[in-house]
Amino acid sequence: MKEITVEELKQKIDNGEDFQLIDVREDFEYEEANLGGELIPLGNVMLETDKISRDKPVIIHCRSGKRSAAAIQQLEQQHQFDNLYNLQGGIKAWADEIDPDMHVS
């Protein structure tokens, strides 16, 4: 599975690179803190594959990286996606390393 660090994600954002960011957490988690990505909770990922780009990098994240890894594994195995990246450490790593003012429970 391909992975990306929070530092690499910040660099992509700062450089204005073209990619899709998907958050697979639940609504209440997204409302608490988010990175501005598209919310597709893990339970809906396989039902909403049409919302996931195939022609540019797609970075998928959750709180810690476990749910996003599960989503990527399913998408790669069942729908042959080859452009997915897991955000190492999830939004918790982002809060710890990039935005200490962000509160993630």
Side-chain angles (χ1 to χ4, degrees), residues 12-36:
K12 285 180 174 300
I13 292 168
D14 291 347
N15 292 342
E17 292 182 34
D18 186 23
F19 66 93
Q20 183 180 21
L21 182 63
I22 296 177
D23 188 331
V24 296
R25 298 175 304 145
E26 297 299 320
D27 292 346
F28 71 92
E29 294 174 289
Y30 188 86
E31 289 171 15
E32 177 184 72
N34 67 73
L35 302 177

PDB file of all heavy atoms in Angstrom, residues 12-36:
ATOM      1  N   LYS A  12       2.015  19.212  -0.758  1.00  0.00           N
ATOM      2  CA  LYS A  12       1.112  19.139  -1.910  1.00  0.00           C
ATOM      3  C   LYS A  12       0.062  20.254  -1.844  1.00  0.00           C
ATOM      4  O   LYS A  12      -0.247  20.893  -2.839  1.00  0.00           O
ATOM      5  CB  LYS A  12       0.407  17.775  -1.979  1.00  0.00           C
ATOM      6  CG  LYS A  12       1.287  16.646  -2.465  1.00  0.00           C
ATOM      7  CD  LYS A  12       0.500  15.348  -2.507  1.00  0.00           C
ATOM      8  CE  LYS A  12       1.297  14.233  -3.133  1.00  0.00           C
ATOM      9  NZ  LYS A  12       1.712  14.493  -4.507  1.00  0.00           N
ATOM     10  N   ILE A  13      -0.492  20.472  -0.652  1.00  0.00           N
ATOM     11  CA  ILE A  13      -1.492  21.533  -0.467  1.00  0.00           C
ATOM     12  C   ILE A  13      -0.854  22.891  -0.745  1.00  0.00           C
ATOM     13  O   ILE A  13      -1.394  23.711  -1.497  1.00  0.00           O
ATOM     14  CB  ILE A  13      -2.085  21.478   0.962  1.00  0.00           C
ATOM     15  CG1 ILE A  13      -2.922  20.201   1.133  1.00  0.00           C
ATOM     16  CG2 ILE A  13      -2.922  22.724   1.251  1.00  0.00           C
ATOM     17  CD1 ILE A  13      -3.310  19.894   2.575  1.00  0.00           C
ATOM     18  N   ASP A  14       0.312  23.137  -0.140  1.00  0.00           N
ATOM     19  CA  ASP A  14       1.001  24.422  -0.310  1.00  0.00           C
ATOM     20  C   ASP A  14       1.384  24.685  -1.762  1.00  0.00           C
ATOM     21  O   ASP A  14       1.382  25.830  -2.209  1.00  0.00           O
ATOM     22  CB  ASP A  14       2.258  24.484   0.568  1.00  0.00           C
ATOM     23  CG  ASP A  14       1.929  24.551   2.060  1.00  0.00           C
ATOM     24  OD1 ASP A  14       0.752  24.791   2.415  1.00  0.00           O
ATOM     25  OD2 ASP A  14       2.860  24.359   2.871  1.00  0.00           O
ATOM     26  N   ASN A  15       1.702  23.609  -2.500  1.00  0.00           N
ATOM     27  CA  ASN A  15       2.099  23.749  -3.906  1.00  0.00           C
ATOM     28  C   ASN A  15       0.911  23.811  -4.854  1.00  0.00           C
ATOM     29  O   ASN A  15       1.087  23.962  -6.063  1.00  0.00           O
ATOM     30  CB  ASN A  15       3.004  22.579  -4.329  1.00  0.00           C
ATOM     31  CG  ASN A  15       4.357  22.614  -3.640  1.00  0.00           C
ATOM     32  OD1 ASN A  15       4.776  23.637  -3.109  1.00  0.00           O
ATOM     33  ND2 ASN A  15       5.046  21.484  -3.623  1.00  0.00           N
ATOM     34  N   GLY A  16      -0.300  23.641  -4.309  1.00  0.00           N
ATOM     35  CA  GLY A  16      -1.498  23.678  -5.148  1.00  0.00           C
ATOM     36  C   GLY A  16      -1.604  22.498  -6.101  1.00  0.00           C
ATOM     37  O   GLY A  16      -2.186  22.601  -7.178  1.00  0.00           O
ATOM     38  N   GLU A  17      -1.046  21.352  -5.702  1.00  0.00           N
ATOM     39  CA  GLU A  17      -1.084  20.168  -6.564  1.00  0.00           C
ATOM     40  C   GLU A  17      -2.511  19.641  -6.704  1.00  0.00           C
ATOM     41  O   GLU A  17      -3.348  19.838  -5.824  1.00  0.00           O
ATOM     42  CB  GLU A  17      -0.166  19.073  -6.004  1.00  0.00           C
ATOM     43  CG  GLU A  17       1.302  19.452  -6.099  1.00  0.00           C
ATOM     44  CD  GLU A  17       2.223  18.365  -5.590  1.00  0.00           C
ATOM     45  OE1 GLU A  17       1.893  17.162  -5.755  1.00  0.00           O
ATOM     46  OE2 GLU A  17       3.280  18.710  -5.025  1.00  0.00           O
ATOM     47  N   ASP A  18      -2.757  18.960  -7.815  1.00  0.00           N
ATOM     48  CA  ASP A  18      -4.084  18.411  -8.108  1.00  0.00           C
ATOM     49  C   ASP A  18      -4.180  16.990  -7.558  1.00  0.00           C
ATOM     50  O   ASP A  18      -3.519  16.075  -8.053  1.00  0.00           O
ATOM     51  CB  ASP A  18      -4.326  18.416  -9.624  1.00  0.00           C
ATOM     52  CG  ASP A  18      -5.743  17.991  -9.972  1.00  0.00           C
ATOM     53  OD1 ASP A  18      -6.639  18.117  -9.114  1.00  0.00           O
ATOM     54  OD2 ASP A  18      -5.946  17.528 -11.106  1.00  0.00           O
ATOM     55  N   PHE A  19      -4.962  16.839  -6.508  1.00  0.00           N
ATOM     56  CA  PHE A  19      -5.211  15.528  -5.923  1.00  0.00           C
ATOM     57  C   PHE A  19      -6.561  15.581  -5.231  1.00  0.00           C
ATOM     58  O   PHE A  19      -7.128  16.648  -5.017  1.00  0.00           O
ATOM     59  CB  PHE A  19      -4.106  15.122  -4.934  1.00  0.00           C
ATOM     60  CG  PHE A  19      -4.041  15.992  -3.704  1.00  0.00           C
ATOM     61  CD1 PHE A  19      -4.727  15.641  -2.546  1.00  0.00           C
ATOM     62  CD2 PHE A  19      -3.302  17.167  -3.698  1.00  0.00           C
ATOM     63  CE1 PHE A  19      -4.676  16.441  -1.419  1.00  0.00           C
ATOM     64  CE2 PHE A  19      -3.248  17.980  -2.575  1.00  0.00           C
ATOM     65  CZ  PHE A  19      -3.934  17.613  -1.433  1.00  0.00           C
ATOM     66  N   GLN A  20      -7.074  14.403  -4.891  1.00  0.00           N
ATOM     67  CA  GLN A  20      -8.335  14.323  -4.161  1.00  0.00           C
ATOM     68  C   GLN A  20      -8.031  13.853  -2.744  1.00  0.00           C
ATOM     69  O   GLN A  20      -7.249  12.917  -2.553  1.00  0.00           O
ATOM     70  CB  GLN A  20      -9.291  13.348  -4.847  1.00  0.00           C
ATOM     71  CG  GLN A  20     -10.653  13.267  -4.183  1.00  0.00           C
ATOM     72  CD  GLN A  20     -11.591  12.288  -4.894  1.00  0.00           C
ATOM     73  OE1 GLN A  20     -11.158  11.395  -5.619  1.00  0.00           O
ATOM     74  NE2 GLN A  20     -12.883  12.454  -4.681  1.00  0.00           N
ATOM     75  N   LEU A  21      -8.651  14.499  -1.769  1.00  0.00           N
ATOM     76  CA  LEU A  21      -8.488  14.128  -0.366  1.00  0.00           C
ATOM     77  C   LEU A  21      -9.817  13.590   0.140  1.00  0.00           C
ATOM     78  O   LEU A  21     -10.845  14.266   0.030  1.00  0.00           O
ATOM     79  CB  LEU A  21      -8.053  15.348   0.453  1.00  0.00           C
ATOM     80  CG  LEU A  21      -7.800  15.116   1.940  1.00  0.00           C
ATOM     81  CD1 LEU A  21      -6.638  14.143   2.159  1.00  0.00           C
ATOM     82  CD2 LEU A  21      -7.505  16.450   2.633  1.00  0.00           C
ATOM     83  N   ILE A  22      -9.798  12.371   0.658  1.00  0.00           N
ATOM     84  CA  ILE A  22     -11.018  11.731   1.151  1.00  0.00           C
ATOM     85  C   ILE A  22     -10.841  11.370   2.622  1.00  0.00           C
ATOM     86  O   ILE A  22      -9.830  10.774   3.012  1.00  0.00           O
ATOM     87  CB  ILE A  22     -11.366  10.469   0.327  1.00  0.00           C
ATOM     88  CG1 ILE A  22     -11.684  10.879  -1.105  1.00  0.00           C
ATOM     89  CG2 ILE A  22     -12.540   9.711   0.956  1.00  0.00           C
ATOM     90  CD1 ILE A  22     -11.976   9.726  -2.025  1.00  0.00           C
ATOM     91  N   ASP A  23     -11.833  11.730   3.410  1.00  0.00           N
ATOM     92  CA  ASP A  23     -11.867  11.467   4.847  1.00  0.00           C
ATOM     93  C   ASP A  23     -12.879  10.346   5.076  1.00  0.00           C
ATOM     94  O   ASP A  23     -14.046  10.486   4.708  1.00  0.00           O
ATOM     95  CB  ASP A  23     -12.313  12.753   5.551  1.00  0.00           C
ATOM     96  CG  ASP A  23     -12.215  12.697   7.057  1.00  0.00           C
ATOM     97  OD1 ASP A  23     -12.338  11.601   7.637  1.00  0.00           O
ATOM     98  OD2 ASP A  23     -12.048  13.779   7.667  1.00  0.00           O
ATOM     99  N   VAL A  24     -12.442   9.215   5.636  1.00  0.00           N
ATOM    100  CA  VAL A  24     -13.351   8.081   5.826  1.00  0.00           C
ATOM    101  C   VAL A  24     -13.849   7.952   7.270  1.00  0.00           C
ATOM    102  O   VAL A  24     -14.383   6.924   7.660  1.00  0.00           O
ATOM    103  CB  VAL A  24     -12.724   6.737   5.355  1.00  0.00           C
ATOM    104  CG1 VAL A  24     -12.471   6.753   3.863  1.00  0.00           C
ATOM    105  CG2 VAL A  24     -11.448   6.407   6.122  1.00  0.00           C
ATOM    106  N   ARG A  25     -13.715   9.031   8.031  1.00  0.00           N
ATOM    107  CA  ARG A  25     -14.243   9.018   9.395  1.00  0.00           C
ATOM    108  C   ARG A  25     -15.756   9.251   9.366  1.00  0.00           C
ATOM    109  O   ARG A  25     -16.347   9.422   8.318  1.00  0.00           O
ATOM    110  CB  ARG A  25     -13.554  10.096  10.235  1.00  0.00           C
ATOM    111  CG  ARG A  25     -12.044   9.861  10.369  1.00  0.00           C
ATOM    112  CD  ARG A  25     -11.353  10.989  11.093  1.00  0.00           C
ATOM    113  NE  ARG A  25     -11.616  12.260  10.413  1.00  0.00           N
ATOM    114  CZ  ARG A  25     -11.756  13.431  11.037  1.00  0.00           C
ATOM    115  NH1 ARG A  25     -11.651  13.511  12.352  1.00  0.00           N
ATOM    116  NH2 ARG A  25     -11.993  14.540  10.347  1.00  0.00           N
ATOM    117  N   GLU A  26     -16.359   9.272  10.538  1.00  0.00           N
ATOM    118  CA  GLU A  26     -17.798   9.498  10.653  1.00  0.00           C
ATOM    119  C   GLU A  26     -18.111  10.994  10.676  1.00  0.00           C
ATOM    120  O   GLU A  26     -17.232  11.816  10.945  1.00  0.00           O
ATOM    121  CB  GLU A  26     -18.339   8.816  11.923  1.00  0.00           C
ATOM    122  CG  GLU A  26     -18.189   7.306  11.919  1.00  0.00           C
ATOM    123  CD  GLU A  26     -18.926   6.628  10.777  1.00  0.00           C
ATOM    124  OE1 GLU A  26     -20.057   7.043  10.453  1.00  0.00           O
ATOM    125  OE2 GLU A  26     -18.366   5.679  10.198  1.00  0.00           O
ATOM    126  N   ASP A  27     -19.379  11.338  10.433  1.00  0.00           N
ATOM    127  CA  ASP A  27     -19.817  12.739  10.390  1.00  0.00           C
ATOM    128  C   ASP A  27     -19.384  13.522  11.627  1.00  0.00           C
ATOM    129  O   ASP A  27     -18.867  14.626  11.516  1.00  0.00           O
ATOM    130  CB  ASP A  27     -21.345  12.834  10.278  1.00  0.00           C
ATOM    131  CG  ASP A  27     -21.871  12.332   8.947  1.00  0.00           C
ATOM    132  OD1 ASP A  27     -21.071  12.149   8.014  1.00  0.00           O
ATOM    133  OD2 ASP A  27     -23.086  12.118   8.838  1.00  0.00           O
ATOM    134  N   PHE A  28     -19.627  12.959  12.813  1.00  0.00           N
ATOM    135  CA  PHE A  28     -19.334  13.693  14.050  1.00  0.00           C
ATOM    136  C   PHE A  28     -17.834  13.957  14.194  1.00  0.00           C
ATOM    137  O   PHE A  28     -17.427  14.988  14.732  1.00  0.00           O
ATOM    138  CB  PHE A  28     -19.892  12.963  15.281  1.00  0.00           C
ATOM    139  CG  PHE A  28     -19.166  11.693  15.639  1.00  0.00           C
ATOM    140  CD1 PHE A  28     -18.117  11.697  16.546  1.00  0.00           C
ATOM    141  CD2 PHE A  28     -19.542  10.479  15.068  1.00  0.00           C
ATOM    142  CE1 PHE A  28     -17.446  10.524  16.879  1.00  0.00           C
ATOM    143  CE2 PHE A  28     -18.883   9.302  15.396  1.00  0.00           C
ATOM    144  CZ  PHE A  28     -17.828   9.322  16.306  1.00  0.00           C
ATOM    145  N   GLU A  29     -16.997  13.049  13.689  1.00  0.00           N
ATOM    146  CA  GLU A  29     -15.544  13.254  13.751  1.00  0.00           C
ATOM    147  C   GLU A  29     -15.136  14.363  12.789  1.00  0.00           C
ATOM    148  O   GLU A  29     -14.294  15.202  13.110  1.00  0.00           O
ATOM    149  CB  GLU A  29     -14.808  11.964  13.366  1.00  0.00           C
ATOM    150  CG  GLU A  29     -14.995  10.826  14.343  1.00  0.00           C
ATOM    151  CD  GLU A  29     -14.372   9.542  13.829  1.00  0.00           C
ATOM    152  OE1 GLU A  29     -14.924   8.956  12.862  1.00  0.00           O
ATOM    153  OE2 GLU A  29     -13.338   9.132  14.375  1.00  0.00           O
ATOM    154  N   TYR A  30     -15.745  14.353  11.610  1.00  0.00           N
ATOM    155  CA  TYR A  30     -15.454  15.355  10.583  1.00  0.00           C
ATOM    156  C   TYR A  30     -15.839  16.746  11.088  1.00  0.00           C
ATOM    157  O   TYR A  30     -15.119  17.714  10.868  1.00  0.00           O
ATOM    158  CB  TYR A  30     -16.225  15.013   9.307  1.00  0.00           C
ATOM    159  CG  TYR A  30     -15.864  15.859   8.111  1.00  0.00           C
ATOM    160  CD1 TYR A  30     -14.786  15.522   7.296  1.00  0.00           C
ATOM    161  CD2 TYR A  30     -16.610  16.992   7.782  1.00  0.00           C
ATOM    162  CE1 TYR A  30     -14.456  16.288   6.190  1.00  0.00           C
ATOM    163  CE2 TYR A  30     -16.287  17.757   6.670  1.00  0.00           C
ATOM    164  CZ  TYR A  30     -15.216  17.396   5.877  1.00  0.00           C
ATOM    165  OH  TYR A  30     -14.883  18.160   4.785  1.00  0.00           O
ATOM    166  N   GLU A  31     -16.990  16.835  11.775  1.00  0.00           N
ATOM    167  CA  GLU A  31     -17.449  18.123  12.291  1.00  0.00           C
ATOM    168  C   GLU A  31     -16.510  18.658  13.365  1.00  0.00           C
ATOM    169  O   GLU A  31     -16.319  19.862  13.488  1.00  0.00           O
ATOM    170  CB  GLU A  31     -18.868  17.992  12.844  1.00  0.00           C
ATOM    171  CG  GLU A  31     -19.898  17.813  11.746  1.00  0.00           C
ATOM    172  CD  GLU A  31     -21.281  17.460  12.272  1.00  0.00           C
ATOM    173  OE1 GLU A  31     -21.528  17.627  13.484  1.00  0.00           O
ATOM    174  OE2 GLU A  31     -22.107  17.010  11.452  1.00  0.00           O
ATOM    175  N   GLU A  32     -15.902  17.763  14.128  1.00  0.00           N
ATOM    176  CA  GLU A  32     -14.984  18.172  15.194  1.00  0.00           C
ATOM    177  C   GLU A  32     -13.709  18.797  14.616  1.00  0.00           C
ATOM    178  O   GLU A  32     -13.242  19.822  15.086  1.00  0.00           O
ATOM    179  CB  GLU A  32     -14.633  16.953  16.041  1.00  0.00           C
ATOM    180  CG  GLU A  32     -13.639  17.239  17.141  1.00  0.00           C
ATOM    181  CD  GLU A  32     -13.241  15.981  17.901  1.00  0.00           C
ATOM    182  OE1 GLU A  32     -12.512  15.150  17.331  1.00  0.00           O
ATOM    183  OE2 GLU A  32     -13.670  15.849  19.046  1.00  0.00           O
ATOM    184  N   ALA A  33     -13.138  18.161  13.596  1.00  0.00           N
ATOM    185  CA  ALA A  33     -11.908  18.643  12.960  1.00  0.00           C
ATOM    186  C   ALA A  33     -11.762  17.940  11.626  1.00  0.00           C
ATOM    187  O   ALA A  33     -12.018  16.751  11.514  1.00  0.00           O
ATOM    188  CB  ALA A  33     -10.694  18.331  13.840  1.00  0.00           C
ATOM    189  N   ASN A  34     -11.363  18.702  10.596  1.00  0.00           N
ATOM    190  CA  ASN A  34     -11.142  18.071   9.292  1.00  0.00           C
ATOM    191  C   ASN A  34     -10.098  18.836   8.503  1.00  0.00           C
ATOM    192  O   ASN A  34      -9.731  19.957   8.854  1.00  0.00           O
ATOM    193  CB  ASN A  34     -12.460  17.935   8.517  1.00  0.00           C
ATOM    194  CG  ASN A  34     -13.032  19.254   8.101  1.00  0.00           C
ATOM    195  OD1 ASN A  34     -12.519  19.906   7.185  1.00  0.00           O
ATOM    196  ND2 ASN A  34     -14.089  19.690   8.775  1.00  0.00           N
ATOM    197  N   LEU A  35      -9.642  18.195   7.435  1.00  0.00           N
ATOM    198  CA  LEU A  35      -8.618  18.786   6.566  1.00  0.00           C
ATOM    199  C   LEU A  35      -9.225  19.343   5.283  1.00  0.00           C
ATOM    200  O   LEU A  35      -8.499  19.673   4.350  1.00  0.00           O
ATOM    201  CB  LEU A  35      -7.550  17.735   6.224  1.00  0.00           C
ATOM    202  CG  LEU A  35      -6.838  17.098   7.422  1.00  0.00           C
ATOM    203  CD1 LEU A  35      -5.854  16.036   6.959  1.00  0.00           C
ATOM    204  CD2 LEU A  35      -6.134  18.153   8.252  1.00  0.00           C
ATOM    205  N   GLY A  36     -10.552  19.412   5.237  1.00  0.00           N
ATOM    206  CA  GLY A  36     -11.213  19.957   4.056  1.00  0.00           C
ATOM    207  C   GLY A  36     -11.425  18.947   2.947  1.00  0.00           C
ATOM    208  O   GLY A  36     -11.818  19.305   1.842  1.00  0.00           O
TER     209      GLY A  36
END
